[in-house]
Amino acid sequence: MYRLITRDNNAKRGEFHTVHGTIQTPVFMNVGTAAAIKGAVSTLDLQAIDTQVELSNTYHLHVRPGDLVVKKMGGLHKFMVWDKPILTDSGGFQVFSLAGLRKIKEEGVYFQSHIDGKRIFMGPEESMQIQSNLASTIAMAFDECPPHPATRKYMQDSVDRTTRWLLRCKTEMERLNSLEDTINPKQMLFGINQGGTFADIRIEHARRISELDLDGYALGGLAVGESHEEMYEIIEQTVPYLPLEKPTYLMGVGTPANILEAVERGVDFFDCVYPSRNGRHGHAYTNHGKMNLLNAKYELDERPIEEGCQCPVCKTYSRAYIRHLLKAKEMLGLRFLVTHNLYFYNKMMEEIRMAIEEHRFQEYKRDKLARMAEGE
Ligand SMILES: [Zn+2]
């Protein structure tokens, strides 16, 4: 259940109550694709840097180790040892972006596993069953992630099918939550708004899915090749048609600047691979822009990645040491950068929440963006 605490213009400050604890929003969800943060960051590390939500990918866990294995191990929370909220995606995005040779039908999607080429079928019911086996806190509805660009006709047909699939997801989840051996009978469902960059299709779709009284609503199919300006415009036009008293989730976005712009337009939930992916490439996020720790100028630099940062890495290690680890291709160097970057993202969300509460979000956003643009 979502409670809107306050608003600063369109920015929302809320809290979302779940069976695995309360999420303070706006929130960043830390992406652990196959039940692990890439970069050797464990759930113990996530606890140490005070993160709120972990996100795992249904498709990846379905192909390996298999959702039935996870169910037999007591569900994802027990399997990966994490007692706070977990969101699982529906598998749809990976089916449409990773899997080979797929065929979309009314019943669902036929495709080949990217691991072993095995033929798999996934439709709304299968996605809900897998997510119920994983026993995540929040399950995402199975949708089609349409290609970009797509014709208006393709988009309208796709969105209509996504709506029919959403109704099937809702029915199936209600059935699964009522079964005796379901690990999390309080699993929640978020619907996904689609429509590409066609604002009128997005708005009409948002109206239709809002009537279903779901636990939350996501904007999908953005950051897939359109410009940032187009994305902000679509968010601005669509969010007002989603329920104010439910959380809004912008899927797969983005840079710190993208997040600040979307918060300003009323978004509550975010997830993105940037902090871990950039960390694995030797890049650190700081309040003075991105740093490349491989740079020769850090060879004898005794300072932490970012002075004043309270993450366990910055409190302990120097730039010189981390640079050495990266040069020597020691996994520890990547782990340090990913840890710092996740801390940076989660800390920024904390600052955002405080700024909204104190009704100074505009000022905070302006200062943060100006500082990040400065460079080191
Ligand atoms: Zn740090």
Side-chain angles (χ1 to χ4, degrees):
M1 193 204 70
Y2 180 80
R3 186 173 79 85
L4 182 62
I5 298 172
T6 188
R7 288 179 90 192
D8 185 4
N9 294 309
N10 288 328
K12 291 161 77 184
R13 167 76 181 94
E15 53 184 29
F16 191 57
H17 299 277
T18 82
V19 70
H20 300 115
T22 299
I23 301 168
Q24 301 296 332
T25 77
V27 64
F28 179 75
M29 300 190 283
N30 303 272
V31 182
T33 303
I37 308 279
K38 287 194 191 299
V41 171
S42 71
T43 48
L44 290 176
D45 300 317
L46 286 185
Q47 272 177 17
I49 57 170
D50 207 19
T51 63
Q52 298 193 76
V53 187
E54 195 273 346
L55 181 152
S56 282
N57 291 115
T58 289
Y59 168 80
H60 288 282
L61 293 170
H62 176 58
V63 289
R64 193 170 51 196
D67 47 290
L68 287 173
V69 169
V70 177
K71 184 176 187 181
K72 282 180 190 151
M73 294 306 295
L76 262 185
H77 284 91
K78 206 172 155 204
F79 192 42
M80 67 190 295
V81 191
W82 174 254
D83 60 6
K84 292 184 191 176
I86 296 177
L87 181 141
T88 44
D89 66 358
S90 68
F93 184 77
Q94 277 76 25
V95 168
F96 288 99
S97 61
L98 270 185
L101 279 175
R102 58 182 178 264
K103 207 170 202 154
I104 309 167
K105 301 261 189 146
E106 183 61 29
E107 63 267 29
V109 187
Y110 297 86
F111 61 97
Q112 284 184 319
S113 153
H114 76 294
I115 304 278
D116 56 10
K118 201 175 97 190
R119 271 181 69 80
I120 304 178
F121 171 75
M122 199 187 284
E125 290 78 13
E126 288 73 17
S127 172
M128 290 298 111
Q129 287 155 16
I130 297 167
Q131 294 184 77
S132 179
N133 288 339
L134 298 174
S136 55
T137 315
I138 302 165
M140 296 302 298
F142 188 74
D143 62 333
E144 181 189 347
C145 199
H148 176 84
T151 63
R152 190 179 172 84
K153 164 92 175 82
Y154 185 97
M155 192 60 76
Q156 188 64 63
D157 290 348
S158 165
V159 166
D160 289 344
R161 186 170 44 229
T162 285
T163 309
R164 293 191 295 275
W165 283 358
L166 176 58
L167 292 168
R168 283 165 55 190
C169 285
K170 188 167 187 255
T171 305
E172 181 64 5
M173 175 172 287
E174 282 162 8
R175 186 186 74 81
L176 291 163
N177 280 352
S178 72
L179 297 179
E180 232 167 60
D181 70 334
T182 294
I183 299 174
N184 177 17
K186 300 255 184 269
Q187 195 173 40
M188 297 191 280
L189 178 65
F190 281 18
I192 304 176
N193 170 262
Q194 291 285 359
T197 48
F198 298 100
D200 59 329
I201 297 180
R202 287 256 178 205
I203 290 169
E204 176 55 26
H205 190 229
R207 284 184 202 269
R208 280 162 76 189
I209 62 179
S210 294
E211 289 166 6
L212 296 177
D213 192 30
L214 302 172
D215 298 297
Y217 292 89
L219 292 164
L222 288 171
V224 292
E226 79 285 359
S227 71
H228 284 167
E229 287 64 36
E230 277 180 296
M231 177 173 80
Y232 299 149
E233 182 63 26
I234 287 295
I235 298 168
E236 192 161 321
Q237 295 210 37
T238 312
V239 169
Y241 294 92
L242 293 170
L244 188 62
E245 68 288 358
K246 298 282 174 74
T248 303
Y249 165 25
L250 178 57
M251 299 179 81
V253 176
T255 64
N258 293 155
I259 291 177
L260 289 164
E261 295 293 340
V263 163
E264 188 173 25
R265 290 162 173 82
V267 175
D268 295 279
F269 281 53
F270 297 89
D271 81 278
C272 189
V273 296
Y274 288 166
S276 50
R277 183 178 293 164
N278 281 315
R280 299 200 307 281
H281 291 135
H283 295 163
Y285 285 94
T286 77
N287 281 300
H288 304 282
K290 253 192 284 171
M291 276 169 80
N292 182 353
L293 265 293
L294 284 162
N295 206 310
K297 68 180 171 183
Y298 303 125
E299 190 178 13
L300 295 170
D301 197 331
E302 290 180 359
R303 290 174 295 174
I305 299 171
E306 175 156 39
E307 288 179 297
C309 175
Q310 294 299 306
C311 88
V313 178
C314 289
K315 282 202 283 190
T316 319
Y317 301 102
S318 67
R319 293 176 182 179
Y321 178 56
I322 297 171
R323 177 176 183 274
H324 153 68
L325 295 174
L326 295 173
K327 296 291 271 186
K329 303 216 182 307
E330 287 292 343
M331 194 181 290
L332 188 58
L334 305 185
R335 186 175 127 80
F336 282 169
L337 282 180
V338 174
T339 304
H340 166 84
N341 284 349
L342 288 176
Y343 179 88
F344 178 87
Y345 263 68
N346 287 278
K347 183 74 187 168
M348 180 178 82
M349 303 315 291
E350 193 183 313
E351 293 166 3
I352 287 172
R353 292 194 293 273
M354 203 173 286
I356 299 172
E357 274 174 27
E358 293 168 0
H359 300 275
R360 52 175 179 80
F361 178 74
Q362 291 289 333
E363 193 188 330
Y364 166 76
K365 179 192 146 199
R366 197 177 51 236
D367 290 353
K368 187 89 173 171
L369 288 175
R371 276 202 290 162
M372 285 191 294
E374 261 171 30
E376 318 158 45

